[in-house]
Amino acid sequence: NRTTSPVSLRRFQVRYTNIPGQEKPIQPLSVWYSGGYVQDVWRPRPNVTLTAGLRMDITKFGDTAYGNPNVNALTFRDETGAAVQYDTGKLPDSKPLWSPRLGFNWDVSSDARTQVRGGTGVFTGRPPYVWISNQIGNTGMLTGFIQEENTTARPFNPNPDFYKPATVTGAPAASLDLAMTDPDFVFPQTWRSNVGVDHRLGWGLIGTVEYIYNRDVNGVYYINANLPAAQSAFVGADNRPRWTGPACGAPTVGPCATRINNAAGNQVTNAMVIKNQDVGRSWNFAASVMKTLQHGVSFKSAYSYGEARNTIDAGSVAAGSFTGNPQSGDPNNPPLAFSFNSPGHRFFIAGSYSKEFFSFGQTTVSAYWEARTIGNANYVFSGDMNGDSASGNDLIYIHGDQSEM
């Protein structure tokens, strides 16, 4: 029966269905996806082969969004600081994605001893439609969402429905978590170029070296359009921005330090917007030696090293992708940095021996050894160091010399 909690809750959250009679808030998504590809191969010389192709992909979304007129009237802030408004009922337009590519293969001495190969082109990935369905389920119409920081107004109650509204009418929720799509958003495309050389070394050995470079044409990142500009900054060597001011409490309070729109009756906890950028890049170099199967013996050894950099590793959930992105400045403008998926070093040796000892089948003995970089890690502060309402994503400042300690 308590009305206040004896402890201050770091964060309180509850999500609820906002449509009367709906047991499960399923996000309906209707998509038509079409693609086409044309390719031609020709040989300007007997030992040179050229391959050119052009692919086109296009996605058309059905009108299944839950538009919120209350949110459509609000003004938000983009990553440049400009005022911006969003139409929560508008899904991305149908825009063709063109992917040209060109490849070559050159048999240097026309005897299949040395082969130079490569190519360049744009490649469109399989569309992750969950990025768009995030918007359908998070406009404050299908579901409502309550989030409070550092609050004592939500004491524990064993009833999971206790803090949800007693009745819902289908009208816009009084408190909501937004996921929206930039009007110009398109699915990811990558420009990829590679060159490789294969050479027969003798004794059945084939040596290969290869280099691959990738660059985002339409990469993906998120912003929180409901996050205001930082009100202050830390002092010292680590002078990153800092959000200060009253915490976002009960729905009766007005705007707080981390919410531009926080008015009672139309309280926006976050407004995650998915957008495109073209700064992500990666490269990889590899060298290998392989012995094809001869007298039952096959062998391969290879080494590779690569780096991948982007501003965010986008996942399937908008809010989690944004708040889980380690950074040290403005979270709406994270710098280009190593991806969690940056490959690093890899070296392996593999071999096998096969022999038919008896007439009923073949026996194979194999061995494999590998050493590699196992992902990447970050040193981050526990809790919310910069006060932007996202915990566990603030990188620890590493001093440059003793004067900064």
Side-chain angles (χ1 to χ4, degrees):
N1 297 321
R2 283 175 169 153
T3 57
T4 59
S5 172
V7 296
S8 178
L9 301 179
R10 170 65 187 86
R11 172 169 292 166
F12 172 87
Q13 291 180 333
V14 61
R15 190 182 301 274
Y16 57 90
T17 182
N18 193 54
I19 297 180
Q22 186 175 51
E23 181 181 356
K24 297 179 179 180
I26 296 173
Q27 301 171 175
L29 184 68
S30 175
V31 185
W32 279 95
Y33 176 79
S34 303
Y37 182 69
V38 293
Q39 175 179 293
D40 196 13
V41 179
W42 69 98
R43 289 185 171 178
R45 298 178 57 184
N47 62 338
V48 176
T49 302
L50 298 177
T51 305
L54 178 64
R55 182 175 178 88
M56 189 277 292
D57 298 88
I58 190 168
T59 302
K60 179 177 175 58
F61 291 95
D63 185 15
T64 60
Y66 289 85
N68 186 330
N70 292 350
V71 172
N72 293 351
L74 298 177
T75 299
F76 296 91
R77 178 180 182 271
D78 69 11
E79 68 275 22
T80 68
V84 61
Q85 290 184 299
Y86 295 98
D87 184 351
T88 54
K90 181 73 168 59
L91 297 182
D93 292 327
S94 297
K95 299 176 182 178
L97 298 177
W98 298 97
S99 303
R101 70 277 310 259
L102 176 67
F104 73 93
N105 190 300
W106 175 32
D107 182 1
V108 177
S109 53
S110 301
D111 59 0
R113 182 173 178 82
T114 302
Q115 173 185 255
V116 180
R117 52 185 169 76
T120 187
V122 176
F123 296 86
T124 303
R126 181 180 178 180
Y129 295 120
V130 66
W131 288 345
I132 307 304
S133 68
N134 281 332
Q135 174 177 336
I136 296 173
N138 294 277
T139 64
M141 300 301 292
L142 184 64
T143 62
F145 181 74
I146 300 171
Q147 175 176 303
E148 295 182 14
E149 314 286 336
N150 303 313
T151 180
T152 59
R154 305 288 183 173
F156 172 76
N157 193 291
N159 178 7
D161 296 322
F162 184 78
Y163 288 113
K164 299 177 182 179
T167 59
V168 293
T169 63
S175 180
L176 57 142
D177 188 44
L178 289 175
M180 299 181 289
T181 308
D182 185 82
D184 297 322
F185 177 79
V186 294
F187 285 112
Q189 287 185 297
T190 301
W191 170 46
R192 171 172 295 171
S193 301
N194 78 295
V195 62
V197 178
D198 306 306
H199 182 69
R200 295 187 181 275
L201 303 172
W203 305 289
L205 297 174
I206 298 175
T208 295
V209 293
E210 186 159 16
Y211 178 80
I212 300 176
Y213 178 81
N214 301 298
R215 179 71 182 253
D216 281 345
V217 176
N218 297 309
V220 170
Y221 73 112
Y222 286 97
I223 66 167
N224 180 4
N226 203 41
L227 184 68
Q231 296 87 13
S232 63
F234 287 93
V235 178
D238 182 6
N239 59 354
R240 74 184 73 186
R242 184 182 183 188
W243 282 259
T244 57
C248 301
T252 55
V253 303
C256 64
T258 58
R259 297 178 186 173
I260 294 173
N261 298 289
N262 195 49
N266 196 22
Q267 192 175 34
V268 179
T269 58
N270 295 297
M272 304 304 177
V273 183
I274 189 170
K275 308 183 73 172
N276 291 120
Q277 61 181 183
D278 59 1
V279 299
R281 64 197 69 174
S282 66
W283 63 269
N284 192 82
F285 171 80
S288 66
V289 178
M290 177 181 66
K291 180 178 177 61
T292 56
L293 186 66
Q294 289 181 333
H295 308 295
V297 176
S298 63
F299 164 85
K300 185 171 185 177
S301 179
Y303 168 78
S304 67
Y305 178 78
E307 294 182 357
R309 298 173 187 266
N310 58 21
T311 61
I312 187 171
D313 289 297
S316 61
V317 179
S321 297
F322 180 84
T323 60
N325 187 36
Q327 44 78 33
S328 59
D330 179 359
N332 277 340
N333 289 280
L336 191 67
F338 280 109
S339 164
F340 280 123
N341 301 305
S342 189
H345 299 276
R346 184 190 181 206
F347 176 70
F348 74 87
I349 301 174
S352 66
Y353 174 72
S354 300
K355 185 175 178 61
E356 187 173 332
F357 291 99
F358 306 101
S359 59
F360 58 80
Q362 182 172 267
T363 299
T364 300
V365 179
S366 300
Y368 182 83
W369 182 89
E370 180 186 31
R372 66 157 68 203
T373 302
I374 306 296
N376 299 305
N378 295 291
Y379 292 99
V380 295
F381 286 96
S382 175
D384 183 10
M385 179 263 196
N386 63 353
D388 67 349
S389 294
S391 293
N393 69 338
D394 298 312
L395 292 168
I396 291 178
Y397 183 82
I398 307 299
H399 59 269
D401 53 45
Q402 290 185 348
S403 69
E404 295 181 354
M405 293 179 64

